[in-house]
Amino acid sequence: MSVSPPPPSAEAEPYDCGMLDVGDGHRIYWEVRGDPRGKPAVVVHGGPGSGCSPRAPRAFDLGRYRVVLFDQRNCGRSTPHAADPSVSLLHNTTDHLVADMERLRHHLGIGRWLLYGGSWGSTLLLAYAERHPERVTEIVVPSVTTTRRSEIDWLYRGVGRFFPEAWDRFVTGSGTGPDGDLVGAYARLVEDPDPVVRTRAVADWLAWEDAVVSAEGMGAPYAARPSAGQTAMVRICAWYFSHGAWLEEGALIRDAHRLGTLPGELVHGRLDLGGPVHTAWELARNWPGARLSVVESAGHLGGAETLRLVRAATDRFAA
């Protein structure tokens, strides 16, 4: 492992990286940026299935943090990759990912670490923290979700009232009616033996995701991904959401008391149509150590004010 810390900038290259065998034929990619002697933090990416982003370390002063990034099972640089239709997702569940995080922490010799992540990443890090609170120093979450079935139903049905044209196309692509199991239908379509069916389902799913964030002025971030990344993310998203992420409905909010006074900084956009701020408010109400900041002008993807608040939190926790 290298001992020469890079300069404290978000563009610094990883000073260490590797592939970790986590069992079931899976190997997850990991990398570390920042100061090898700094405060340990781990970035838990969203999606599920998006892969880690090299932009994520912007949330940290890399002169004071040792930031771990990793690609969750079947995505990013982890293997086997879900872009291959023959790859099974059976050993890719929330429990598997929580266990992978623990293996990675142990592999890197980290006793306790700060958890950072938004969207699906907040679901996974909350599941991890509620099972292993003794391994967590603080939590920072931009864009809170807990992947309850009610939240999934809102994202793929309820919010359609704001984008009726796009939602009608999404429903049509599912092959079901508006009252059908849309997510379940897409989970089947992306596993279809016909590549034309799979490709169309991926495109229809991503078009809907982009429609939901279209008012945030950031283009079409989901459709802009490389094709292999698109396929992997949609397969994994549909797999997780069609199973309610294998979580008891409402359990993460119900059990937030397990985090006690563990410091948490929650930052959520008032204009997040896909994940309304109510979930963040519920979580903060049930977690004594959490503080919620609502950014009036931000949506799900955040922005300059979201980043400022997140960075202020990590700077404070670094001290």
Side-chain angles (χ1 to χ4, degrees):
M1 184 179 291
S2 171
V3 296
S4 299
S9 71
E11 290 73 31
E13 291 297 313
Y15 70 79
D16 196 13
C17 63
M19 300 290 289
L20 178 64
D21 187 337
V22 293
D24 309 311
H26 287 267
R27 299 174 74 229
I28 62 169
Y29 171 82
W30 59 268
E31 64 183 40
V32 191
R33 301 180 183 225
D35 184 347
R37 297 173 296 274
K39 179 183 178 70
V42 61
V43 174
V44 186
H45 69 68
S50 69
C52 63
S53 168
R55 300 179 65 208
R58 295 183 305 159
F60 300 92
D61 177 351
L62 294 185
R64 296 197 286 173
Y65 273 95
R66 176 187 178 194
V67 180
V68 178
L69 297 90
F70 72 102
D71 291 325
Q72 295 160 29
R73 292 190 181 202
N74 298 125
C75 71
R77 286 153 287 189
S78 294
T79 61
H81 200 274
D84 180 348
S86 69
V87 169
S88 171
L89 300 181
L90 285 176
H91 294 109
N92 189 341
T93 69
T94 302
D95 284 346
H96 286 103
L97 300 186
V98 168
D100 291 350
M101 290 178 64
E102 265 298 88
R103 288 190 183 97
L104 180 58
R105 181 193 61 77
H106 187 266
H107 176 74
L108 295 176
I110 294 172
R112 302 170 69 216
W113 51 6
L114 178 149
L115 307 182
Y116 171 83
S119 195
W120 159 255
S122 66
T123 296
L124 179 54
L125 69 79
L126 286 168
Y128 174 90
E130 290 180 10
R131 297 181 201 183
H132 304 286
E134 75 285 356
R135 298 301 183 190
V136 182
T137 55
E138 301 91 10
I139 295 174
V140 180
V141 176
S143 301
V144 177
T145 69
T146 65
T147 317
R148 289 175 292 185
R149 287 164 179 80
S150 59
E151 293 172 51
I152 296 166
D153 186 69
W154 171 260
L155 178 57
Y156 296 103
R157 188 189 313 278
V159 75
R161 68 194 64 182
F162 293 101
F163 307 99
E165 304 93 343
W167 191 67
D168 183 66
R169 291 192 294 271
F170 183 65
V171 172
T172 300
S174 75
T176 69
D179 297 323
D181 179 6
L182 301 175
V183 173
Y186 275 96
R188 292 187 292 273
L189 289 170
V190 294
E191 303 298 332
D192 194 279
D194 185 341
V196 174
V197 173
R198 296 196 304 269
T199 299
R200 184 169 59 245
V202 168
D204 289 343
W205 180 286
L206 293 173
W208 172 245
E209 297 279 6
D210 280 330
V212 173
V213 299
S214 60
E216 299 183 31
M218 297 189 183
Y222 297 100
R225 295 169 180 269
S227 59
Q230 292 178 352
T231 300
M233 193 184 81
V234 175
R235 280 192 72 197
I236 296 169
C237 279
W239 169 245
Y240 268 76
F241 296 161
S242 64
H243 289 88
W246 298 273
L247 294 169
E248 182 184 347
E249 183 72 358
L252 294 182
I253 291 177
R254 181 197 67 203
D255 295 339
H257 66 88
R258 295 179 182 176
L259 303 177
T261 57
L262 181 71
E265 190 75 22
L266 311 178
V267 183
H268 204 95
R270 180 78 73 189
L271 305 181
D272 187 341
L273 295 179
V277 69
H278 185 256
T279 294
W281 179 80
E282 288 180 289
L283 179 63
R285 189 175 61 173
N286 285 280
W287 174 5
R291 181 175 70 174
L292 172 63
S293 298
V294 178
V295 181
E296 298 295 334
S297 60
H300 190 71
L301 302 177
E305 179 62 9
T306 298
L307 180 59
R308 186 191 70 79
L309 290 169
V310 164
R311 182 60 182 265
T314 59
D315 285 347
R316 185 172 72 255
F317 293 146

